């Protein structure tokens, strides 16, 4: 090969030669393997067909042999089976003989077929004998029945003529015994051992010969009987002897059938043996085929190995020559020139005297020498400009070792550290961490981070100048390594950020101060941006919602704020964000957390953050639940006072006519009474008697009417009394009293009250007490008892028919040092919200008309709130009962 040929062309030619050699080897190998494959396919196909045919024929003959054995055991007495099965078996013999190529096996198979035809004749004759034997059984049995009938007729005739019938009765017994013996013989025939007959000898006695001989001897007595029995006796003896003859013929045929079957089995065994020999021959042929295949594979493998060895030798020779002349020799020259370049020879060009790819490398290297020579001058200029920037930079630049010694430092850094010159800083600082770090551990932490990330930016720390003055600095550091990865030094910059740090601290203090002001406010404060996402969330709303500020900042307010339904304030919030005008919403109802919690109400003020558009808004929310409750209490108190004033005048006006009605009813009742003499004398003067007048009044119901008027008047008087009690207030009867004692006395009073005894059955209510030791309180005992009795009546009424186990829980405790509390709780059906709102209103009642005035709880509320300055409230839930809470101050 010439030197001016490129390395790529040389490799291409070498590759073509190796490829052509490989193609030649592949073609030779293909034709060799194709010939082997064709030979193997023919041999395998031939042997496979032979083995398949032998296996198929062996299987068919096995099935045929099995059917022959089944036929020999199943042909007895079934002529149709013999006819059909024998036809099919003979057809199978012919079909199998046509498929077998081995003449010897075919001859044995035809011989087996002939032997089967001989056996078939015996089978048919045996079936004929079985049929005759069965007919003879039936004939003998019918003759015995006929003889029995004849003897029975003779018995009847002789009995009619009063002749002796003892002989005939004995004859009947004999005939019954003959018939039983015949049935026994028939049963034994059905249970005969066919294998024993097939393997027997001609000299063996026929089956059942002994039983038949005994039966024939016993029937000889019939031949000596009176006519016509003797005639039938001879026929029966002849029939039994013929039956005995048939049994002998059957025995001989079975012996012949057994001999024929054994011959058939021997010939079948010969056929099976011949087929096994054929299979063995096929197996030996398969072994020969395997040896031929192994021989062909070994020859092909040897040929392939020889060709591959030749190809490997050629490839080694050409590649060794190629690499020696065109790679190793030029590479040695290049290495020598590069070593000279490393030694500092930047002038001598590279000369390889080649025209291939190495020539291109030579040109690139020589151009690089020229480029380096041009850049040396530029590098000197760059170093000068860098030194100028380094010296004049306002940001401190430094270079330190890992141990902390200053290696290089610019004037700005010298000034920051408080030195007079660069040389003073370099000569005095050998451990930067201990000299200029307020806390040397901070530099160790910085170094550990620097090792992990190789570069740190804006690392803020507190440093100290040479004169002891402290200042905040922001450092940017990086590790400088050599070509092998070893750390040479730390290079970084430094900025004095003391003023910025002071401003940040002031701003942070101001922010903390403002946040503390916002968090300390008792109101809810929420800030939102123009998109209605949360930007401010004070501590009060955190406690109300149970969500931290960090978890909700940036979330939509309708998702994060759940204290009030969003539809109540979202329109107002959108209006404030659009118009930049504050909006006030009053008495917004809060979201109910559960059924037991009290209703809450809120005032909301929404105002924009600034006059500029798209700056958001602040929502200020105050909880006014207590104020709403106080307003309701004031309204209710005013209502009670107004109703009390009205009730006082109304009771006085009703009381006068009511007293006249009651008095006149009482007088009228006395004047109709027969017990007064004046009534009696006036009646006699009028020509009648007071008894007649009393009887008239009784029959006309006048007395009942008077009693009804008196009862209604008394009820009206009771109502007037309640109205007067409702309107009366005063503290003249106040005294120190024990609330537990008042409760116990009221319980005794409730148990003896007529209404509760007859309608509510107070004794069936289970009373549960949870009473703590409390101080005595100043109260009017009778009024407090009236309140407790009213509450107990309401509880008992609620329990009437509402539960199978009615119970009332009574609890007395001191919630604080100034009050005492009584709770009366029942397990009745509870009340709905509408009932709870009206339960303390005057004249409101849930009872039927005529069963209540509706003043019980209103009077109790008036007594507690107006006379005792306490509170009476209720907690209830549908299906879970009601609890009245009576709160009284210890001192009036």
């Amino acid at each position: 090969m010439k030197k001016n040929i490129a390395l790529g062309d040389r490799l291409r030619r070498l590759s073509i030669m190796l490829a052509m050699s490989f193609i030649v080897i592949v073609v030779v190998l293909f034709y060799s393997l194709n010939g082997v494959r064709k030979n193997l396919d023919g041999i395998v196909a031939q042997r496979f067909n032979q083995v398949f045919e032998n296996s198929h024929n062996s299987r068919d003959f096995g099935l045929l042999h099995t059917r022959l054995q089944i036929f020999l055991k199943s042909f007895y007495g079934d002529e149709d089976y013999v006819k059909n099965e024998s036809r099919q078996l003979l057809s199978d013999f012919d079909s199998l003989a046509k498929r077998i190529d081995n003449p010897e096996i075919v001859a044995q198979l035809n011989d087996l077929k002939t032997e089967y035809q001989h056996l078939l004749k015996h089978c048919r004759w045996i079936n004929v004998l079985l049929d005759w034997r069965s007919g003879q059984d039936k004939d003998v049995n019918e003759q015995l029945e006929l003889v029995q009938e004849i003897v029975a007729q003779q018995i009847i005739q002789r009995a009619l003529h009063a002749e002796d019938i003892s002989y005939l009765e004995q004859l009947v017994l004999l005939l019954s015994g003959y018939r039983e013996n015949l049935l026994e013989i028939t049963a034994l025939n059905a249970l005969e051992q066919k294998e024993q007959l097939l393997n027997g000898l001609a000299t063996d006695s026929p089956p059942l010969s002994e039983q038949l001989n005994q039966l024939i001897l016993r029937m000889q007595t019939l031949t000596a009987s009176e006519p016509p029995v003797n005639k039938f006796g001879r026929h029966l003896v002849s029939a039994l002897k013929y039956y005995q003859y048939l049994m002998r013929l059957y025995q001989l045929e079975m012996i012949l059938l057994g001999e024929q079957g054994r011959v058939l089995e021997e010939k079948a065994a010969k056929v099976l043996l011949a087929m096994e020999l054929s299979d063995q021959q096929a197996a030996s042929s398969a072994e020969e085929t395997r040896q031929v295949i192994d021989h062909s594979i070994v020859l092909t493998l040897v040929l392939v190995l020889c060709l591959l060895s030749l190809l490997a030798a050629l490839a080694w020779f050409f590649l060794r020559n190629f690499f020696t002349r065109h790679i190793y020799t030029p590479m040695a020259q290049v290495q020598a020139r590069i070593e000279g370049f490393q030694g500092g020879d930047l002038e001598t060009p590279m000369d390889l005297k080649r025209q291939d790819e190495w020539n291109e490398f030579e040109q690139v290297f020589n151009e690089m020498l020229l480029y380096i020579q041009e850049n040396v001058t530029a590098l000197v200029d760059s170093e000068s400009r860098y030194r100028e920037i380094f010296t004049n930079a306002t940001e401190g630049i430094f270079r330190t070792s890992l141990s902390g010694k200053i290696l290089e430092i610019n004037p700005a850094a010298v000034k920051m550290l408080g030195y007079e010159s660069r040389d003073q800083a370099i000569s005095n600082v050998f451990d930067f961490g201990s000299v200029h770090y307020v806390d040397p551990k901070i530099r160790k932490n910085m170094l550990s981070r620097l090792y992990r990330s190789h570069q740190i930016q804006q690392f803020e720390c507190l440093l100290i100048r040479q004169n002891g003055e402290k200042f905040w600095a922001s450092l940017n550091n990086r590790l400088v390594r050599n070509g092998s990865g070893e750390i040479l030094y730390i290079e970084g910059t430094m900025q004095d950020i003391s003023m910025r740090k002071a401003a940040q601290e002031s701003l942070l203090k101001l922010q903390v101060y403002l946040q503390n002001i916002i968090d300390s406010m008792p109101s809810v404060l929420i800030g939102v941006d123009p998109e209605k996402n949360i930007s401010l969330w004070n501590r009060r709303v955190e406690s109300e919602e149970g969500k931290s500020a960090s978890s909700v900042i940036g979330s939509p307010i309708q998702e994060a704020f759940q204290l009030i339904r969003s539809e109540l304030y979202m329109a107002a919030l959108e209006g404030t964000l659009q118009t930049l005008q504050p909006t006030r919403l009053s008495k917004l109802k809060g979201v109910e957390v559960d059924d037991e919690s009290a209703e809450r109400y809120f005032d909301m003020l929404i105002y924009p953050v600034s006059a500029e558009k798209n700056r958001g808004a602040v929502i200020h929310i105050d909880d006014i639940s207590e104020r709403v409750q106080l307003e309701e209490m004031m309204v209710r108190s005013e209502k009670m006072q107004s109703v009390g004033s009205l009730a006082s005048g109304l009771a006085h006006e009703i009381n006068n006519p009511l007293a006249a009605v009651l008095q006149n009813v009482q007088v009228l009742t006395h004047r109709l009474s027969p017990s007064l003499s004046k009534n009696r004398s006036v009646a006699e003067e009028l020509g009648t008697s007071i008894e007649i007048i009393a009887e008239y009044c009784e029959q006309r119901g006048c007395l009942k009417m008077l009693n009804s008027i008196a009862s209604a008047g008394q009820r009206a008087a009771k109502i007037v009394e309640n109205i007067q009690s409702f309107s009366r207030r005063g503290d003249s009867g106040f005294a120190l009293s024990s609330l537990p004692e008042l409760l116990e006395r009221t319980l005794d009073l409730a148990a003896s009250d007529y209404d509760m005894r007859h309608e509510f059955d107070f004794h069936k209510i289970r009373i549960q007490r949870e009473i703590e030791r409390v101080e005595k309180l100043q109260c009017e005992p009778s009024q407090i008892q009236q309140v407790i009795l009213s509450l107990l009546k309401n509880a008992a009424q609620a329990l009437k028919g509402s539960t199978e186990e009615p119970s009332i829980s009574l609890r007395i405790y001191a919630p604080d040092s100034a009050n005492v509390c009584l709770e009366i709780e029942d397990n009745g059906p509870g009340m709905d919200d509408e009932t709870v709102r009206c339960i303390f209103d005057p004249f409101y009642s849930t009872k039927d008309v005529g069963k209540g005035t509706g003043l019980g709880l209103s009077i109790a509320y008036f007594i507690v709130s107006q006379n005792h300055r306490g509170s009476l409230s209720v907690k209830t839930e549908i299906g879970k009962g009601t609890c009245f809470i009576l709160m009284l101050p210890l001192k009036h």
Side-chain angles (χ1 to χ4, degrees):
M1 296 183 182
K2 297 181 179 180
K3 291 185 179 180
N4 58 356
I5 299 177
L7 293 179
D9 293 336
R10 298 176 191 273
L11 285 174
R12 192 178 302 108
R13 292 181 182 182
L14 181 59
S15 300
I16 291 173
M17 292 177 60
L18 294 176
M20 292 178 63
S21 301
F22 180 75
I23 291 171
V24 171
I25 293 173
V26 169
V27 171
V28 174
L29 180 62
F30 172 76
Y31 282 106
S32 300
L33 292 177
N34 191 32
V36 172
R37 184 181 62 80
K38 290 181 179 179
N39 294 333
L40 294 179
D41 289 344
I43 295 171
V44 170
Q46 180 181 0
R47 297 299 185 266
F48 179 76
N49 291 333
Q50 183 178 357
V51 171
F52 178 76
E53 290 177 359
N54 290 340
S55 175
H56 185 63
N57 294 334
S58 298
R59 181 181 61 82
D60 289 346
F61 182 74
L63 294 174
L64 182 61
H65 183 243
T66 302
R67 289 178 61 186
L68 284 174
Q69 292 177 342
I70 294 172
F71 175 79
L72 290 176
K73 294 181 180 180
S74 306
F75 75 91
Y76 298 100
D78 192 350
E79 188 60 29
D80 292 337
Y81 173 75
V82 171
K83 182 178 179 180
N84 296 328
E85 186 67 12
S86 61
R87 186 187 303 113
Q88 186 63 39
L89 287 173
L90 292 174
S91 175
D92 291 344
F93 272 115
D94 295 336
S95 177
L96 184 61
K98 290 179 182 179
R99 293 200 308 268
I100 296 176
D101 297 332
N102 193 334
E104 182 180 356
I105 296 176
V106 173
Q108 292 178 355
L109 193 61
N110 291 330
D111 188 16
L112 181 62
K113 174 184 174 183
T114 303
E115 197 65 34
Y116 171 68
Q117 290 175 343
H118 293 320
L119 181 137
L120 191 59
K121 293 178 181 180
H122 291 288
C123 293
R124 289 172 177 167
W125 177 238
I126 287 173
N127 281 342
V128 171
L129 291 176
L130 289 174
D131 186 45
W132 288 356
R133 190 178 70 182
S134 177
Q136 194 66 17
D137 287 337
K138 185 176 180 182
D139 186 30
V140 173
N141 193 24
E142 288 177 353
Q143 289 184 25
L144 282 174
E145 289 179 355
L146 182 58
V147 173
Q148 285 179 334
E149 290 177 0
I150 294 172
V151 174
Q153 290 176 1
Q154 289 180 357
I155 290 173
I156 293 171
Q157 290 176 0
R158 291 190 181 185
L160 292 175
H161 294 88
E163 296 179 0
D164 185 15
I165 61 173
S166 59
Y167 169 71
L168 293 176
E169 291 177 348
Q170 293 179 0
L171 189 58
V172 169
L173 294 175
L174 289 175
L175 289 173
S176 299
Y178 299 157
R179 193 172 181 187
E180 290 177 359
N181 292 333
L182 182 62
L183 292 174
E184 182 180 357
I185 291 171
T186 303
L188 291 174
N189 278 329
L191 299 173
E192 66 179 359
Q193 301 292 330
K194 293 183 176 60
E195 293 295 332
Q196 186 176 358
L197 291 174
L198 292 173
N199 296 324
L201 301 175
T203 57
D204 295 339
S205 59
L208 305 176
S209 59
E210 183 178 355
Q211 288 87 342
L212 289 172
N213 288 332
Q214 290 179 1
L215 185 57
I216 290 171
L217 290 176
R218 293 179 62 188
M219 283 189 178
Q220 291 292 339
T221 56
L222 295 177
T223 58
S225 301
E226 297 178 357
V229 177
N230 57 352
K231 182 179 179 180
F232 283 102
R234 288 192 293 273
H235 282 295
L236 285 171
V237 171
S238 300
L240 288 176
K241 289 181 178 179
Y242 181 66
Y243 189 90
Q244 193 174 22
Y245 170 71
L246 289 176
M247 291 298 295
R248 178 60 178 171
L249 288 179
Y250 174 74
Q251 177 192 16
L252 294 176
E253 283 300 323
M254 290 294 288
I255 292 172
L256 291 175
L257 180 64
E259 294 176 354
Q260 197 71 34
R262 286 189 287 275
V263 172
L264 186 68
E265 191 66 28
E266 291 176 359
K267 293 187 176 182
K270 291 181 180 179
V271 174
L272 288 173
L273 181 60
M275 288 187 173
E276 289 179 0
L277 292 175
S278 178
D279 292 339
Q280 292 178 359
Q281 291 176 359
S284 62
S285 299
E287 181 64 25
E288 294 175 359
T289 302
R290 187 184 66 79
Q291 293 177 0
V292 171
I293 293 172
D294 292 343
H295 181 68
S296 300
I297 292 173
V298 169
L299 289 178
T300 304
L301 182 62
V302 170
L303 179 61
V304 171
L305 290 176
C306 291
L307 293 175
L308 290 177
S309 300
L310 178 61
L311 179 63
L314 290 174
W316 177 82
F317 175 76
F318 286 119
L319 290 175
R320 181 177 180 277
N321 184 46
F322 176 82
F323 276 93
T324 300
R325 297 181 57 186
H326 302 291
I327 294 179
Y328 293 144
T329 301
M331 189 176 293
Q333 296 175 352
V334 171
Q335 182 179 1
R337 181 65 192 91
I338 290 176
E339 289 176 354
F341 177 79
Q342 291 178 348
D345 185 4
L346 303 179
E347 302 293 336
T348 305
M350 183 182 291
D351 186 12
L352 299 178
K353 298 183 174 65
R354 297 184 65 88
Q355 301 299 321
D356 49 17
E357 286 82 355
W358 289 108
N359 186 34
E360 297 178 3
F361 181 82
E362 176 184 318
Q363 294 177 1
V364 171
F365 181 83
N366 293 332
E367 291 176 358
M368 182 187 69
L369 284 178
L370 293 175
Y371 179 76
I372 290 174
Q373 291 173 2
E374 293 174 356
N375 286 337
V376 168
T377 304
L379 184 62
V380 173
D381 295 339
S382 176
E383 174 68 19
S384 176
R385 288 194 298 271
Y386 170 76
R387 177 59 57 182
E388 183 178 354
I389 293 172
F390 179 81
T391 303
N392 299 327
T394 58
E395 188 178 56
I397 303 174
F398 62 90
R399 183 181 298 169
T400 65
S401 65
L402 295 179
S403 60
K405 176 178 175 54
I406 295 180
L407 304 177
E408 186 62 65
I409 188 170
N410 73 335
V414 170
K415 184 177 180 180
M416 288 182 193
L417 297 178
Y419 293 101
E420 297 180 356
S421 64
R422 165 182 174 274
D423 295 336
Q424 183 185 8
I426 294 175
S427 60
N428 290 338
V429 180
F430 295 93
D431 187 355
F432 195 89
S434 60
V435 174
H436 290 289
Y437 274 83
V438 175
D439 185 0
K441 294 181 180 179
I442 295 178
R443 186 175 188 274
K444 293 181 180 179
N445 295 334
M446 183 271 295
L447 289 176
S448 62
R449 289 178 54 188
L450 191 62
Y451 289 147
R452 291 194 300 270
S453 58
H454 307 290
Q455 186 174 359
I456 297 179
Q457 294 183 353
Q458 296 180 358
F459 181 79
E460 297 180 359
C461 59
L462 190 61
L463 300 182
I464 186 171
R465 294 188 175 94
Q466 184 187 20
N467 58 6
E469 180 184 358
K470 297 179 182 179
F471 70 98
W472 280 96
S474 176
L475 304 178
N476 298 318
N477 296 330
R478 71 182 185 91
L479 293 176
V480 179
R481 301 175 183 269
N482 58 14
S484 60
E486 297 178 354
I487 298 175
L488 298 178
Y489 49 81
I490 299 174
E491 189 176 65
T493 61
M494 178 191 311
Q495 287 183 343
D496 188 347
I497 59 171
S498 299
M499 295 180 63
R500 188 184 74 186
K501 200 71 176 178
Q504 287 179 351
E505 291 179 356
S506 299
L507 183 62
L508 181 60
K509 290 179 180 179
L510 179 60
Q511 182 179 3
V512 172
Y513 179 70
L514 293 176
Q515 186 65 39
N516 290 334
I517 293 175
I518 293 172
D519 287 339
S520 62
M521 293 183 66
S523 302
V524 171
L525 284 180
I526 301 175
V528 295
D529 57 17
E531 287 75 25
K532 296 184 285 298
N533 295 326
I534 295 175
S535 59
L536 174 64
W537 188 268
N538 75 338
R539 190 168 300 168
R540 174 63 186 274
V541 71
E542 281 186 356
S543 63
E544 290 285 352
E545 291 286 352
K547 302 174 184 177
S548 62
S550 59
S551 64
V552 300
I553 295 296
S555 302
I557 185 172
Q558 60 268 26
E559 295 180 3
F561 184 62
Q562 301 295 328
L563 197 61
I564 303 173
R565 293 195 301 273
S566 59
E567 58 266 19
L568 298 179
Y569 62 86
M570 285 301 295
L573 176 59
E574 292 175 356
T576 298
L577 291 174
Q578 292 176 1
T579 63
L580 299 179
Q581 297 297 323
T583 304
R584 185 181 297 275
L585 300 175
S586 300
K587 208 172 181 180
L588 297 178
K589 186 176 181 180
V591 177
E592 295 183 0
V593 179
D594 49 42
D595 295 337
E596 297 182 357
S597 59
E599 292 182 348
R600 301 183 66 184
Y601 294 90
F602 302 91
D603 281 349
M604 179 181 290
L605 175 61
I606 306 173
Y607 54 91
V609 174
S610 66
E612 299 179 4
K613 293 185 178 180
N614 301 328
R615 295 295 300 274
V618 174
I619 302 173
H620 178 273
I621 301 171
D622 286 327
D623 188 349
I624 61 170
S625 302
E626 294 183 1
R627 191 183 76 190
V628 171
Q629 292 177 1
L630 289 174
E631 289 176 354
E632 291 179 354
M633 290 177 63
M634 291 175 65
V635 170
R636 183 172 293 168
S637 177
E638 292 177 0
K639 184 194 301 182
M640 291 295 179
Q641 292 179 1
S642 61
V643 172
S645 299
L646 177 62
S648 178
L650 183 62
H652 180 72
E653 293 297 329
I654 294 175
N655 205 21
N656 293 330
L658 184 61
V661 171
L662 290 176
Q663 183 178 1
N664 290 329
V665 168
Q666 187 177 9
V667 171
L668 185 57
T669 302
H670 284 293
R671 292 186 178 183
L672 292 176
S673 175
S675 59
L676 296 178
S677 58
K678 183 64 174 177
N679 295 343
R680 189 181 301 276
S681 62
V682 172
E684 290 175 355
E685 291 176 359
L686 295 176
T688 182
S689 63
I690 191 61
E691 286 81 6
I692 294 174
I693 295 174
E695 184 65 23
Y696 170 80
C697 291
E698 181 69 27
Q699 292 184 5
R700 293 295 292 168
C702 296
L703 295 179
K704 290 183 179 180
M705 295 178 186
L706 292 175
N707 291 331
S708 297
I709 294 172
S711 178
Q714 291 175 359
R715 178 172 176 80
K718 183 66 175 177
I719 292 173
V720 170
E721 182 182 356
N722 287 336
I723 292 175
Q724 290 176 340
S725 297
F726 176 73
S727 61
R728 187 185 304 117
R729 62 176 295 179
D731 53 1
S732 59
F734 274 63
L736 283 176
S737 302
S738 172
L739 185 59
E741 293 179 0
L742 294 177
L743 177 62
E744 293 298 331
R745 290 202 299 268
T746 309
L747 283 172
D748 296 337
L749 180 61
S752 62
D753 185 76
Y754 175 83
D755 291 335
M756 299 183 73
R757 183 174 65 251
H758 290 277
E759 294 187 19
F760 311 129
D761 200 0
F762 194 78
H763 293 287
K764 293 184 178 180
I765 300 175
R766 182 163 59 94
I767 304 298
Q768 296 179 339
R769 295 174 174 83
E770 299 178 13
I771 299 175
E772 299 178 359
R773 293 175 61 90
V774 294
E775 297 181 16
K776 292 184 178 181
L777 73 156
Q778 287 184 345
C779 66
E780 188 172 347
S782 61
Q783 291 186 359
I784 298 301
Q785 280 188 280
Q786 182 181 353
V787 171
I788 297 174
L789 182 61
S790 179
L791 297 177
L792 290 174
K793 282 185 176 183
N794 278 275
Q797 181 189 12
L799 292 172
K800 180 183 177 182
S802 63
T803 179
E804 295 180 356
E805 296 182 357
S807 67
I808 297 177
S809 299
L810 304 174
R811 292 182 286 272
I812 295 178
Y813 59 92
D816 51 52
S817 59
N819 297 282
V820 63
C821 181
L822 168 63
E823 292 184 0
I824 300 177
E825 182 177 4
D826 63 70
N827 60 345
M831 296 181 289
D832 55 18
D833 295 338
E834 183 65 26
T835 304
V836 172
R837 282 194 292 269
C838 303
I839 195 169
F840 294 119
D841 292 346
F843 306 110
Y844 177 81
S845 176
T846 58
K847 302 177 184 179
D848 296 335
V849 178
K851 293 188 176 181
T853 62
L855 291 173
L857 289 177
S858 60
I859 293 174
Y861 186 85
F862 187 84
I863 291 172
V864 173
S865 60
Q866 298 297 323
N867 296 350
H868 291 78
R869 299 179 183 177
S871 65
L872 181 61
S873 59
V874 60
K875 291 193 303 182
T876 183
E877 185 175 353
I878 298 296
K880 295 187 178 180
T882 304
C883 180
F884 284 93
I885 304 170
L886 173 60
M887 187 75 70
L888 295 171
L890 292 174
K891 295 181 181 181
H892 183 62

